[in-house]
């Protein structure tokens, strides 16, 4: 799987949008971009994933650049409960399944 | 639809004892993954199983650790002769066959070796 690079930490004011960047310059054509987060002492939580089109769900939006070498996860209105470590993971996708390889992620602190 | 269920949530073992961690995947999921998170460290992949089959165990320590996912019942992660360094959170995850294979995690089992 392609490697990803994320800033180690970010701050965001409550109610503002949190934009978390991720570089994945070695991504290959059949690899997806996945985002997970881990709130302290809890299991990782799936947020969103995409291949090349932008995606949106009830939790977040995922913007993938046209060359697919980077992406941004957007939490539109951050709350204190969004404080967590956010992981950007590139993963192949097929019926045989692929494990996720977690890096260090970005520690997001949402402040009042 | 119940999520990935892990038990026990917390387990205390003395050095040299065995630890068994159980994982029931989400309904309809045929793939199970085990991860370990040591204190203040990241999540490390251990093993990936389908029913009655180990697909990838590249992250498993060579000794004392084993995993199974039988035809019936939960997946089991077994740690024999535990040592203090095995103290960690162990997360199980599952995914369906097809359907994008999105992986969903359980809440983890915290093993403390005293």
């Amino acid at each position: 799987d392609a490697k990803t690079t994320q800033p180690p930490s970010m701050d965001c004011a409550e109610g503002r949008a949190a934009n978390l960047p991720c570089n994945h310059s070695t991504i290959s054509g059949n690899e997806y971009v996945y985002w997970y987060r881990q709130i302290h002492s809890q299991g990782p939580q799936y947020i969103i994933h995409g291949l090349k089109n932008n995606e949106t769900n009830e939790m977040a939006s995922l913007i993938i650049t046209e060359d697919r070498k980077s992406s941004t996860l957007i939490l539109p209105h951050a709350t204190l409960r969004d404080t967590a470590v956010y992981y950007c993971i590139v993963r192949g996708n097929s019926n045989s399944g692929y494990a996720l390889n977690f890096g260090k992620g970005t520690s997001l602190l949402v402040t009042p | 639809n119940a999520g990935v269920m892990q038990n026990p949530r917390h387990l205390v073992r003395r050095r040299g004892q065995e630890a068994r961690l159980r994982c029931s995947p989400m309904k309809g999921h045929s793939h199970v993954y085990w991860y370990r998170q040591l204190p203040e460290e990241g999540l490390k992949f251990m093993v990936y199983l389908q029913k009655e089959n180990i697909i990838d165990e590249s992250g498993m320590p060579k000794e004392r650790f084993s995993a199974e996912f039988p035809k019936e019942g939960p997946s089991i992660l077994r740690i024999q002769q535990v040592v203090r360094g095995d103290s960690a959170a162990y997360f199980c995850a599952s995914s369906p066959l097809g359907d994008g294979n999105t992986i969903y995690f359980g809440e983890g089992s915290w093993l403390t070796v005293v």
Side-chain angles (χ1 to χ4, degrees), chain B residues 16-19 63-66 78-83 86:
Chain B
Q17 290 185 320
E18 179 180 285
E63 297 177 347
R64 302 187 297 107
F65 284 71
S66 62
R78 182 182 177 206
I79 311 170
Q80 294 178 289
Q81 298 175 307
V82 296
V83 300
D86 296 333

Side-chain angles (χ1 to χ4, degrees), chain A residues 5-7 10 17-24 33-35 47-48 53-56 60-65 68-75 88:
Chain A
T5 304
Q6 298 178 251
M10 291 182 65
N19 297 289
L20 292 93
C22 179
N23 285 326
H24 32 79
V33 179
Y34 280 78
W35 283 84
I47 301 173
I48 199 167
N53 297 323
N54 298 338
E55 302 287 344
T56 295
S61 295
L62 174 60
I63 309 298
I64 302 174
T65 57
R68 302 209 322 125
K69 293 185 177 182
S70 65
S71 60
T72 301
L73 178 75
I74 301 172
L75 307 178
C88 168

Side-chain angles (χ1 to χ4, degrees), chain B residues 66-84:
Chain B
S66 62
E68 62 176 10
F69 188 16
K71 187 176 178 182
E72 302 289 339
S75 175
I76 307 283
L77 180 67
R78 182 182 177 206
I79 311 170
Q80 294 178 289
Q81 298 175 307
V82 296
V83 300
R84 289 233 170 97

